[in-house]
Amino acid sequence: MTDRLQLFAGNSNPALAGRISEYLDIPVSQATVDRFPDGEVRIKVEDDVRGSDAFLLQSVCHPVNENLVELLIFIDCLKRASADRITPVIPYFGYARQDRKDEGRVPISAKLVADLITAAGADRVLTIDLHSTQIQGFFNIPVDHLLGSPVLVNHYQNMNIEDLVVVAPDVGKSLLVSTYARKMGAAFAIVDQRRVSAETAEVLAVVGEVEGMNILILDDIISTAGKLAQAVKVLKERGARDIYVAATHPVLAGNAAERILSAPIKKVAVTDTIPVRDERLKDKVEVVSVGELLGEAIRRIHENLSVSSLFD
Ligand code: R5P
């Protein structure tokens, strides 16, 4: 592999691009990423990339379709400029929640997006907390899949919260969340929820002891915060004390900000896979950076070193 490492970034998350560039001690390479008068994405890479090991940071977050097309066209641009290897770094992989055909006449968008990224010219992919780990198999190129939860769990572990129960907000997360509960030496509980619509969920049961305990709810995504608000409500009804939340991807769509602000939650910790732009949330939502994690993963991929040691 070429010695020349380059970092590029689309428009989705310039602050995270800056943190990674700082960690790697290389600049974000120059590129124009804007629009033609009719709205089509226009990209021009200003630095020479011939023969380089190019990493391209772009989250598929709001505005999702704009950012996705930027990602695809940027990859094409790097390919045609003769980069030796192209690795999109996709901290938040959008469209991941449509990952199976669980009813008739629905698409599997996660597979389509994986195909598009590959067809555009990606050689490998680096991402964090895919909604489901089997999405890695939708790619026929290597995927380095990092975990965001350890960064968030460390954040709360440093707070030494006593009488802690780590809670999975639905049954699907129970295996992962119970692992973190064990690591933190905390108890574990599940709020069993069923999604009623894209914005709302209903609680079927709470499994585990929460009365008089402090709670940490761990999830991968906060989108509309519907599930989170329901979980908090039922946990409070069951006598929980302080409630903390950790989620890797702050999608924060629809009424999420209002729901978070009005719920009896002490703190929400999220990562910067997606920028949090709503100023109203700044006192309640703490952002923990994955910049170093991604920077170190990029360095290791570039130097052909193990990435799995970053999972600890
Ligand atoms: C679903 O399985 C995800 O892991 C999240 O729990 C979900 O996307 C959160 O959605 P919302 O915030 O809209 O309830």
Side-chain angles (χ1 to χ4, degrees), residues 92 96-97 129 131 173 219-223 247-251:
Y92 174 63
R97 282 173 287 174
D129 278 358
H131 179 60
K173 318 268 163 39
D219 206 345
D220 62 335
I221 297 171
I222 302 176
S223 181
T248 311
H249 306 300
V251 172

Side-chain angles (χ1 to χ4, degrees), residues 261-273:
L261 289 169
S262 61
I265 301 171
K266 272 262 181 203
K267 271 282 173 235
V268 178
V270 295
T271 76
D272 54 355
T273 57

